[in-house]
Amino acid sequence: DDGIQAINIGTGALSITTTGTTTGDTDNGINVVNSSVGTDLTVNAATTTGADDGIKADNYGSGALSITTTGTTTGDAYDGIDAVNSSASTDLTINAATTTGNENGINAVNNGSGALSITTTGTTTGTADDGIVANNSSAGTDLTINAATTTGADEGINADNNGSGALSITTTGTTTGETDDGIVANNSSDGTDLTINAATTTGAGDGIYAYNFGSGALSITTTGTTTGTAYDGIDAYNLSASTDLTINAATTTGADDGIEADNYGSGAL
């Protein structure tokens, strides 16, 4: 069963706070559902372990979904943290310490009208899939990721912004994609700027893969080593609707190109 299962069908908010260890021996560590008549969904958790997901949070309410962890969060079969915001909701915010999932470390899907924000201070690991997966729908605004060390069996960080705002990724630790790319960032035509500030990044494919279809600028800054084992160290593409493409890079290595930059935007390269 679940360590904690909470389903809110009331008209108010659902809030859960844990200070010790929470364990779901056969299901999820924490499993929370906020119905469509509810408002906010808030989880503040210490150490959490689930046989399925560590923390599974589904928000159908009219408010925000917020998850904060201060201890280790582990999903033995699926995701460390699996967070979904419905189209009726607003912001989705995750502040996580160390997180491990057998599939993804953190999987965040924002269908709400607000921003998607993920901040990690510990190691985030996706044993079979990605370290961090972030999907912002066309109803959303900004997508922001501030990550420490992140490792995925496929991609380290996979960020897809279909919202009306900017996509921003900042890493302070090592980001690794063991069989695919280290960082993948896609900014749709509904978005504005795409900005990446990365420390050390390694991908089995590309180190950093950034495609900007938004109306703003694409900017990539690296301070550590960036490596693309099979393809490019940095692969950056600006579409015709975009403006400037700027790359400031430290050491960069690719099996094909160290840096490949294609600017079809109206600004400078």
Side-chain angles (χ1 to χ4, degrees), residues 44-259:
N44 294 292
T47 299
T48 311
T49 300
D52 290 340
D53 294 316
I55 297 173
K56 182 174 176 59
D58 295 297
N59 182 33
Y60 300 96
S62 60
L65 169 54
S66 174
I67 299 173
T68 300
T69 69
T70 55
T72 300
T73 307
T74 307
D76 289 334
Y78 302 124
D79 300 329
I81 297 173
D82 183 10
V84 179
N85 231 9
S86 79
S87 58
S89 309
T90 58
D91 297 332
L92 197 169
T93 303
I94 298 173
N95 293 290
T98 298
T99 311
T100 301
N102 186 56
E103 292 184 350
N104 304 297
I106 296 173
N107 182 36
V109 178
N110 181 38
N111 296 305
S113 60
L116 169 55
S117 174
I118 300 171
T119 300
T120 69
T121 55
T123 300
T124 307
T125 306
T127 305
D129 292 331
D130 299 333
I132 296 173
V133 181
N135 289 289
N136 205 24
S137 80
S138 58
T141 57
D142 296 333
L143 196 171
T144 303
I145 298 173
N146 293 291
T149 298
T150 310
T151 301
D154 289 339
E155 290 149 351
I157 296 173
N158 183 351
D160 192 3
N161 181 39
N162 295 296
S164 60
L167 169 54
S168 174
I169 300 172
T170 301
T171 69
T172 55
T174 300
T175 306
T176 306
E178 293 178 337
T179 62
D180 209 327
D181 302 327
I183 296 174
V184 176
N186 288 294
N187 203 28
S188 80
S189 57
D190 293 325
T192 56
D193 296 332
L194 195 170
T195 304
I196 299 174
N197 294 291
T200 298
T201 311
T202 301
D206 294 316
I208 296 173
Y209 175 98
Y211 269 42
N212 182 34
F213 296 89
S215 60
L218 169 55
S219 173
I220 300 173
T221 301
T222 68
T223 55
T225 300
T226 306
T227 306
T229 305
Y231 303 121
D232 302 326
I234 297 173
D235 185 359
Y237 181 91
N238 232 9
L239 197 67
S240 57
S242 308
T243 58
D244 297 334
L245 196 168
T246 304
I247 299 175
N248 294 290
T251 301
T252 310
T253 302
D256 289 342
D257 300 312
I259 298 174

Side-chain angles (χ1 to χ4, degrees), residues 17-43:
T17 300
T18 69
T19 56
T21 299
T22 306
T23 305
D25 289 330
T26 59
D27 289 321
N28 306 299
I30 297 174
N31 183 11
V32 288
V33 179
N34 204 24
S35 78
S36 58
V37 296
T39 57
D40 296 333
L41 196 170
T42 303
V43 178

